[in-house]
Amino acid sequence: MDKHATIYIAGHTGLVGSAMVRHLRSRGFDAIITRTRQALDLRQQSAVAQFFQATRPEYVILAAARVGGIQANSAYPGDFIGDNLQIQTNVIDSAYRAGTKKLLFLGSSCIYPRDCPQPIKEDYLLTGPLEATNQWYAIAKIAGIKMCQAYRQQHGFNAICAMPTNLYGPEDNFDLHTSHVLPALIRKFYQAKADKAAEVIVWGSGRPRREFLHVDDLAAACLYLLAHYDDEGIINVGTGKDISIAELAGRIKAMSGYRGRIVYDTSKADGTPQKRLDTRRLEALGWRAGMTLTEGLHATWCWYVNSRPSAT
């Protein structure tokens, strides 16, 4: 890719978008286009169309989305399906009409059926019912995949779709009402140690298994796919390794130095029993994750501790 190519990163202040900005700049890309949510509401069709016609980016990385954990998905189902459908529809259509050379749509491993065989292959999409606790977000992301494929078939638009596993890292959301499990655990153990609390409550049984990918690895994978992948089919991005929530909580507890008890609140939903991606398609292209979970957890813990005043 030309280092002077114009690249629009939708959602550049979020976990994924901010990692993409860091990664591209570190590799010498000097024509990155960004807009804050206040400057450009991606849910507004006319505003998005005007922006694309004015800037005409050569590449688009669609990382903007309404995201959250089980609690947020359960509390705001209308927002999760409505906002995500509007965002991705407006960006994909406007990018095509503005002559964008290539668009990367970022989905999620939650698009796959709840009870998939493990590891999860790309071919398992739409082969069974979704997990109820995140179905609204998942259905919106599946619609985005199908829109990219439809625009490729009808218009020849080069839109590719990457499905990352559970992500974490700097600029993550640590709000206990809307965050995913890993940043929530980091905040809980940090606060429990500071408060000398007797226990930390973890939602669910602790038995579900999850795969975690540091967001800097995802950024590297996205750039690699923009340079090396042009097919219609979705492609998984992950480590191919998973861990139980209980083991994850134990690791974060040890890292924090907290000495109290871990209590599992089994009245709360576990979600999907296991999610581990089959990453062989991406590995066959020549890319695999470079950061271990131990390294990533330590880096994220340090970032959170140092950024504590802004991590609400």
Side-chain angles (χ1 to χ4, degrees):
M1 291 174 61
D2 181 359
K3 296 294 180 69
H4 304 300
T6 51
I7 305 172
Y8 169 51
I9 301 176
H12 75 284
T13 61
L15 173 65
V16 176
S18 60
M20 285 304 316
V21 171
R22 291 194 305 272
H23 190 75
L24 288 168
R25 285 178 175 163
S26 71
R27 278 147 184 79
F29 289 89
D30 58 10
I32 300 170
I33 301 170
T34 61
R35 292 292 186 277
T36 64
R37 187 179 306 172
Q38 292 72 29
L40 177 63
D41 186 343
L42 294 176
R43 298 170 300 178
Q44 301 299 317
Q45 183 181 40
S46 60
V48 175
Q50 291 171 11
F51 163 76
F52 270 90
Q53 289 300 319
T55 58
R56 295 188 177 274
E58 295 173 69
Y59 297 91
V60 172
I61 299 169
L62 181 41
R66 175 180 282 273
V67 298
I70 289 176
Q71 182 176 0
N73 274 269
S74 299
Y76 308 107
D79 291 345
F80 271 83
I81 193 168
D83 287 358
N84 285 307
L85 284 172
Q86 290 175 325
I87 290 167
Q88 62 203 34
T89 298
N90 292 338
V91 172
I92 293 167
D93 183 70
S94 293
Y96 156 67
R97 295 182 185 281
T100 292
K101 183 184 299 184
K102 192 170 188 177
L103 178 143
L104 171 60
F105 174 76
L106 284 160
S108 164
S109 59
C110 74
I111 62 165
Y112 294 111
R114 180 183 190 275
D115 298 315
C116 263
Q118 303 291 317
I120 302 172
K121 298 179 181 179
E122 289 90 348
D123 296 338
Y124 295 161
L125 178 64
L126 296 176
T127 59
L130 298 166
E131 162 59 38
T133 58
N134 61 21
Q135 62 180 315
W136 318 108
Y137 177 78
I139 288 172
K141 285 298 182 180
I142 292 169
I145 292 167
K146 292 302 178 183
M147 185 172 181
C148 287
Q149 293 172 342
Y151 271 51
R152 174 184 288 272
Q153 291 181 22
Q154 182 174 342
H155 304 299
F157 183 44
N158 191 7
I160 61 173
C161 302
M163 301 300 116
T165 189
N166 298 277
L167 302 170
Y168 69 100
E171 305 297 340
D172 208 341
N173 172 23
F174 293 86
D175 186 317
L176 295 180
H177 298 290
T178 58
S179 63
H180 289 101
V181 60
L182 192 152
L185 289 174
I186 286 178
R187 178 168 181 176
K188 284 183 176 183
F189 281 106
Y190 177 93
Q191 199 64 49
K193 183 183 180 184
D195 295 342
K196 296 182 173 58
E199 62 186 33
V200 166
I201 297 175
V202 177
W203 277 28
S205 67
R207 290 191 297 269
R209 300 186 67 84
R210 294 291 182 268
E211 175 184 5
F212 295 98
L213 178 71
H214 193 278
V215 72
D216 287 350
D217 269 342
L218 174 64
C222 288
L223 184 56
Y224 192 88
L225 288 169
L226 282 171
H228 298 283
Y229 189 71
D230 291 298
D231 292 345
E232 176 179 310
I234 62 176
I235 189 161
N236 289 337
V237 185
T239 65
K241 301 175 182 177
D242 63 4
I243 183 176
S244 72
I245 298 303
E247 186 179 351
L248 176 68
R251 286 201 192 186
I252 296 175
K253 176 184 176 181
M255 187 173 58
S256 70
Y258 172 70
R259 297 183 179 277
R261 301 187 306 274
I262 298 177
V263 176
Y264 292 95
D265 182 357
T266 55
S267 70
K268 299 296 192 296
D270 270 342
T272 302
Q274 184 178 17
K275 283 200 299 182
R276 178 166 64 92
L277 295 181
D278 186 319
T279 57
R280 287 177 292 181
R281 183 174 292 180
L282 180 55
E283 290 169 6
L285 289 175
W287 188 92
R288 65 175 62 229
M291 192 179 303
T292 68
L293 182 59
T294 299
E295 293 167 339
L297 283 177
H298 177 73
T300 305
W301 175 269
C302 291
W303 182 89
Y304 176 75
V305 171
N306 292 331
S307 304
R308 177 73 183 120
S310 62
T312 57

